[in-house]
Amino acid sequence: MYKELNPPSRILMGPGPSDVHPRVLKAMAMPLVGHLDPSFLQIMNETMELIRMVFETKNELTLSMSGTGSAGMETVFVNILEPGDKVIIGVNGLFGERMTDVAERCGAEVIRVEAPWGEIIQPEQIKAALEKHAGVKAVAVVHAETSTGALQPLFEISRLVHEHDALFIVDAVTSLGGIKVGIDENEVDACYSGTQKCLSAPPGLSPVTFSKRAQEALAKRTSKVQSWYLDLSMLQNYWGQERFYHHTAPISMNYALREALRLVAEEGLEQTWERHWKFGKALQAGLEAMGLSLHVAEEYRLPQLTSVRIPEGIDEAAVRKQLLEQFGIEIGGGLGALKGKVWRIGLMGYSCQPRNVLLFLSALAQVLEQHGYKTSSNESCAAMLETIYG
Amino acid sequence: MYKELNPPSRILMGPGPSDVHPRVLKAMAMPLVGHLDPSFLQIMNETMELIRMVFETKNELTLSMSGTGSAGMETVFVNILEPGDKVIIGVNGLFGERMTDVAERCGAEVIRVEAPWGEIIQPEQIKAALEKHAGVKAVAVVHAETSTGALQPLFEISRLVHEHDALFIVDAVTSLGGIKVGIDENEVDACYSGTQKCLSAPPGLSPVTFSKRAQEALAKRTSKVQSWYLDLSMLQNYWGQERFYHHTAPISMNYALREALRLVAEEGLEQTWERHWKFGKALQAGLEAMGLSLHVAEEYRLPQLTSVRIPEGIDEAAVRKQLLEQFGIEIGGGLGALKGKVWRIGLMGYSCQPRNVLLFLSALAQVLEQHGYKTSSNESCAAMLETIYG
């Protein structure tokens, strides 16, 4: 009645999940040990070290939450905020919007600082909000907006936030492992990510990290964290020396995350960023050579996630369906303010390979021609190769 | 620096996780599709049907949460309870205790009904609490207390709860797939479980189900659910016909759950219960033949998780360490009120095989003898085989 699992072969070039590295798939298939087994405690220790490596931090409170990136987002807000706290949130896409919803559910007073989808939040906007509202506890921005492809610079905002004695929260779901996040360098106080974007692991865990300053704020809470599952005061005893039982860690997913991070360490963190940069820019050159226009200004354009505007008169869903059915290529559609207006093309983690870029550009050109859009896959692929090989 | 993953070979006979079936491990290693891929939507639909099968329910709102059993627990409480609501919770072990903590974090007024660890909550206790406190919204009990090995009968309590127009909440983390849960038959309104106990999958997801009555209560809420990640009003649109994007489902873990449930369907649900019953009782006969005493009265003794009292003068941690190091067998120690007093031996899912019972009894007898406890592994194994084969 229920057949053997037989998923179709895909190349995942949407906004995530991205393709999982074969070595990570192999790690997922390893037999389990118990979550309090001495060998698993060693795995947890090594994973914490590797998460620190990729976040570029010395933060002690660095671990992986047993849920997806959205659980990581909720972890940061439920632990940092108490009812009545003021928080400034940069909203320039779906994930900024989601942060406001999560923060409001914590009983916080949310101050929105907005920019159009695809643009970035300007430091002056944050400065003005901090000056207008006294006693703000935290300021949050999205480093790589998955809904738009915009890259938010962090340092200048971080400086302003700390001048006002607030905590700096960053969403690094789509940035971690793809571009420099630099937790310590950018003085980020609380950050969360996901496994299924630039880290080449399946979705299911959320690496998080908290600065000393954030830890001090957690210690000063006067109310219990509203989520038992995400309460860091208990989780740090589980991941720390005490190994105090909290929940049963997802063993196989932790195997996967460790292997994914080991791959980043082997390639080298900077080399990983360079790969995302080079092939992302090559994709963008190829798209522009096809006559398509990119939604985000070049200055703030992410390499690992590109929003491309849909040419007039093209049925965007039909194009995506054809790419999926004829070539097994998944790309994403637009969300929210960009629904029906852009495609989102990811080149993250193991998906970020030149052969995928070449295949995608060729396939897109063919499909677009069939939909009546005149273009040249030849020129597009040449522009792409020129970017890579000069 | 970080070596290839090389976990030691274990037989997991503790309170969970249990051994994962090889077919489930294989499913975990399958390449991923996107979480909105048509083929994954089919996987989600089939998984919902299979979860209904194992819960024995027709409940429409039946899905798997993207977190472990504790996230399932939190899902039930944050969705059902609003600040000020009264909830009666049966506390006869660690997981009853945890429910009170989770419910209090929802701002609920918790009415505790207690029994010693290892005993069950009597229907008269629930009746008295319902009569004493007007307007109780829900009553919660733990079906299979993982911290004690006690089996809580459900039907009589369910009847009382509904006479008082309250909702009946059941923790089925350790019972689902091991013994009959019977959601519809027992008129349970909200129930959560885990993948890593009797279902032979890794930890990481939590199957949940909600009755029509519970759904009506959710629809009548006047406040937002405090957890965005666990908010069923959004999750049912993600799992339902709308397929409205919420979070990125853990693809590989969902592959694993589907395969694990497919194994239950192939064996037959009743046959699965019978296997747990037969080999669990065989283990218990073997332990008693060794002169050991079982902590839970026979009437309420779970087959899939057995608490056995530690003989006087035995260093319980040293025995567990020896079993792990010499034979690769993991069993659990006691928690809370039973810390240092019992061992917890699980026979769940794929771990529930006669060869594991025989090996464990032989190993335990040898180790206990080395610790100065006189016993006979011969008699113990004979008693076990007698129980199975008559």
Side-chain angles (χ1 to χ4, degrees):
Chain A
M1 177 174 172
Y2 297 96
K3 290 195 187 138
E4 188 179 350
L5 187 66
N6 188 24
S9 169
R10 300 294 192 218
I11 299 173
L12 299 177
M13 296 179 68
S18 53
D19 285 340
V20 174
H21 195 286
R23 270 174 50 190
V24 176
L25 291 174
K26 186 180 154 204
M28 294 280 284
M30 293 301 275
L32 273 67
V33 298
H35 64 111
L36 297 172
D37 195 289
S39 69
F40 189 66
L41 303 185
Q42 174 69 15
I43 296 285
M44 290 167 83
N45 283 340
E46 289 178 1
T47 305
M48 284 189 280
E49 286 171 21
L50 284 160
I51 299 174
R52 285 189 195 106
M53 176 275 296
V54 71
F55 268 131
E56 300 162 83
T57 185
K58 293 198 171 68
N59 284 344
E60 195 194 328
L61 185 51
T62 301
L63 46 86
S64 85
M65 300 299 295
S66 300
T68 66
S70 298
M73 181 190 285
E74 191 154 318
T75 300
V76 165
F77 286 99
V78 296
N79 281 279
I80 296 222
L81 299 178
E82 293 189 79
D85 281 345
K86 286 183 202 167
V87 60
I88 294 173
I89 296 179
V91 182
N92 56 339
L94 185 77
F95 295 91
E97 196 64 57
R98 180 171 299 180
M99 290 199 293
T100 68
D101 191 353
V102 172
E104 274 163 9
R105 289 171 196 244
C106 300
E109 184 188 323
V110 173
I111 300 145
R112 296 168 67 101
V113 167
E114 301 186 58
W117 286 41
E119 298 185 15
I120 62 156
I121 306 293
Q122 299 297 338
E124 304 78 60
Q125 293 178 274
I126 299 291
K127 187 164 185 272
L130 280 164
E131 284 167 0
K132 188 172 167 194
H133 302 274
V136 165
K137 186 162 189 185
V139 176
V141 297
V142 178
H143 190 205
E145 236 314 338
T146 322
S147 63
T148 69
L151 165 55
Q152 176 68 52
L154 301 178
F155 186 73
E156 187 61 17
I157 293 180
S158 177
R159 203 180 51 76
L160 292 164
V161 171
H162 293 124
E163 273 175 20
H164 287 79
D165 273 334
L167 296 167
F168 187 36
I169 295 172
V170 170
D171 175 322
V173 170
T174 290
S175 54
L176 193 68
I179 53 171
K180 185 178 180 62
V181 175
I183 293 296
D184 288 357
E185 219 174 303
N186 285 310
E187 296 183 36
V188 176
D189 294 304
C191 185
Y192 56 92
S193 187
T195 45
Q196 79 278 18
K197 309 277 185 176
C198 298
L199 297 179
S200 316
L205 295 180
S206 173
V208 296
T209 187
F210 293 82
S211 71
K212 272 223 165 60
R213 206 185 284 117
Q215 272 192 285
E216 283 162 17
L218 303 188
K220 278 189 207 145
R221 286 184 66 100
T222 57
S223 60
K224 262 193 188 179
V225 171
Q226 70 190 31
S227 168
W228 182 94
Y229 190 59
L230 306 176
D231 184 345
L232 288 168
S233 67
M234 293 185 291
L235 280 160
Q236 58 188 332
N237 294 335
Y238 178 43
W239 283 78
Q241 289 312 310
E242 300 82 1
R243 299 301 182 183
F244 206 83
Y245 167 57
H246 179 254
H247 69 294
T248 304
I251 310 289
S252 309
M253 277 302 307
N254 276 281
Y255 284 175
L257 174 57
R258 178 180 173 280
E259 189 64 14
L261 292 170
R262 211 164 70 97
L263 283 160
V264 174
E266 280 177 25
E267 183 175 4
L269 188 55
E270 298 204 5
Q271 286 73 12
T272 307
W273 302 335
E274 274 168 31
R275 174 167 53 86
H276 283 90
W277 183 262
K278 190 190 275 181
F279 304 143
K281 291 294 147 181
L283 168 74
Q284 290 163 0
L287 289 166
E288 288 189 316
M290 224 181 274
L292 297 169
S293 64
L294 307 182
H295 181 67
V296 176
E298 193 177 0
E299 199 183 349
Y300 304 117
R301 200 178 286 156
L302 287 168
Q304 72 270 42
L305 186 72
T306 303
S307 287
V308 53
R309 293 203 182 117
I310 293 154
E312 216 169 321
I314 298 288
D315 178 348
E316 74 86 11
V319 170
R320 282 192 288 130
K321 196 171 175 219
Q322 220 169 320
L323 286 171
L324 191 74
E325 289 178 356
Q326 293 181 358
F327 308 105
I329 299 171
E330 178 183 271
I331 64 167
L335 291 173
L338 298 179
K339 197 172 162 69
K341 294 187 181 157
V342 299
W343 289 303
R344 289 179 300 150
I345 304 147
L347 270 183
M348 303 192 230
Y350 189 60
S351 293
C352 183
Q353 301 186 39
R355 71 175 187 209
N356 287 344
V357 183
L358 191 76
L359 172 67
F360 168 72
L361 290 171
S362 307
L364 181 65
Q366 295 304 322
V367 172
L368 284 178
E369 290 236 349
Q370 288 171 33
H371 284 255
Y373 178 84
K374 292 283 162 237
T375 185
S376 158
S377 79
N378 230 11
E379 274 174 39
S380 167
C381 293
M384 170 227 154
L385 290 171
E386 164 89 18
T387 307
I388 299 179
Y389 301 107
Chain B
M1 178 172 172
Y2 296 96
K3 290 195 186 136
E4 189 178 349
L5 188 67
N6 188 25
S9 169
R10 301 295 192 217
I11 299 174
L12 299 178
M13 297 179 70
S18 53
D19 284 341
V20 174
H21 194 287
R23 270 174 51 190
V24 176
L25 290 176
K26 186 180 154 204
M28 294 280 284
M30 294 300 275
L32 272 67
V33 298
H35 64 111
L36 298 170
D37 195 288
S39 70
F40 189 67
L41 303 184
Q42 174 68 15
I43 296 284
M44 288 168 84
N45 283 340
E46 290 178 1
T47 304
M48 284 190 279
E49 287 171 22
L50 285 160
I51 300 175
R52 285 187 195 106
M53 175 277 294
V54 71
F55 269 130
E56 301 161 80
T57 186
K58 295 199 171 66
N59 285 345
E60 195 195 328
L61 184 50
T62 301
L63 50 84
S64 84
M65 300 299 295
S66 300
T68 66
S70 298
M73 180 190 286
E74 192 155 317
T75 300
V76 165
F77 286 98
V78 296
N79 281 279
I80 296 223
L81 300 179
E82 294 190 78
D85 281 345
K86 286 183 201 166
V87 58
I88 295 173
I89 296 179
V91 182
N92 57 340
L94 185 78
F95 295 91
E97 196 65 56
R98 180 171 299 180
M99 291 198 294
T100 67
D101 191 352
V102 173
E104 275 164 9
R105 289 172 196 244
C106 300
E109 184 188 325
V110 173
I111 300 146
R112 295 168 68 99
V113 167
E114 301 187 56
W117 286 41
E119 298 185 15
I120 62 156
I121 306 292
Q122 298 297 338
E124 303 79 59
Q125 294 177 273
I126 299 292
K127 187 165 186 271
L130 281 164
E131 284 167 1
K132 189 171 166 193
H133 302 273
V136 164
K137 185 161 189 186
V139 176
V141 297
V142 178
H143 191 207
E145 235 315 336
T146 321
S147 63
T148 68
L151 165 55
Q152 176 69 51
L154 301 178
F155 186 72
E156 187 61 18
I157 293 179
S158 177
R159 204 181 49 78
L160 292 164
V161 171
H162 294 124
E163 274 176 20
H164 286 80
D165 273 334
L167 296 167
F168 188 36
I169 296 171
V170 170
D171 174 323
V173 171
T174 290
S175 54
L176 192 69
I179 54 173
K180 185 179 178 64
V181 174
I183 293 295
D184 289 356
E185 218 174 303
N186 285 310
E187 296 183 36
V188 176
D189 295 303
C191 186
Y192 56 92
S193 188
T195 45
Q196 80 277 18
K197 310 277 186 177
C198 298
L199 297 179
S200 317
L205 295 180
S206 173
V208 296
T209 187
F210 293 81
S211 71
K212 272 223 166 59
R213 206 185 284 118
Q215 272 192 284
E216 283 161 18
L218 302 189
K220 276 188 209 147
R221 287 184 65 101
T222 56
S223 60
K224 262 194 186 178
V225 171
Q226 68 189 32
S227 169
W228 183 93
Y229 191 60
L230 306 175
D231 184 345
L232 288 166
S233 68
M234 293 186 291
L235 280 159
Q236 60 189 333
N237 293 336
Y238 178 44
W239 283 77
Q241 289 311 311
E242 299 83 0
R243 300 300 182 183
F244 206 83
Y245 166 58
H246 179 253
H247 69 294
T248 305
I251 312 289
S252 309
M253 278 301 308
N254 277 281
Y255 284 175
L257 174 58
R258 178 180 174 280
E259 188 65 14
L261 292 169
R262 212 165 70 97
L263 283 160
V264 174
E266 280 177 25
E267 183 176 3
L269 189 55
E270 300 205 3
Q271 285 74 11
T272 307
W273 302 334
E274 274 167 31
R275 174 166 54 85
H276 283 91
W277 183 263
K278 192 192 273 182
F279 303 143
K281 291 294 147 181
L283 168 73
Q284 291 163 359
L287 289 167
E288 288 189 316
M290 223 182 273
L292 297 169
S293 62
L294 306 183
H295 182 68
V296 176
E298 192 175 359
E299 200 182 350
Y300 303 116
R301 200 178 286 157
L302 287 168
Q304 71 271 42
L305 185 71
T306 303
S307 287
V308 51
R309 293 200 183 120
I310 291 154
E312 216 169 322
I314 298 288
D315 178 347
E316 74 87 11
V319 170
R320 282 193 286 132
K321 196 172 174 216
Q322 219 170 320
L323 287 170
L324 191 73
E325 288 179 357
Q326 293 181 358
F327 308 106
I329 299 171
E330 178 182 270
I331 64 167
L335 290 173
L338 297 179
K339 196 172 164 68
K341 293 186 181 157
V342 299
W343 289 303
R344 290 179 299 150
I345 304 147
L347 270 182
M348 303 192 231
Y350 189 59
S351 293
C352 185
Q353 301 186 38
R355 70 175 187 208
N356 287 346
V357 184
L358 192 74
L359 172 66
F360 168 72
L361 290 171
S362 308
L364 182 65
Q366 294 305 320
V367 172
L368 284 179
E369 290 236 348
Q370 288 171 33
H371 284 255
Y373 178 84
K374 292 283 161 237
T375 185
S376 157
S377 80
N378 229 12
E379 273 174 39
S380 168
C381 293
M384 170 228 156
L385 290 171
E386 165 89 19
T387 306
I388 299 179
Y389 301 108

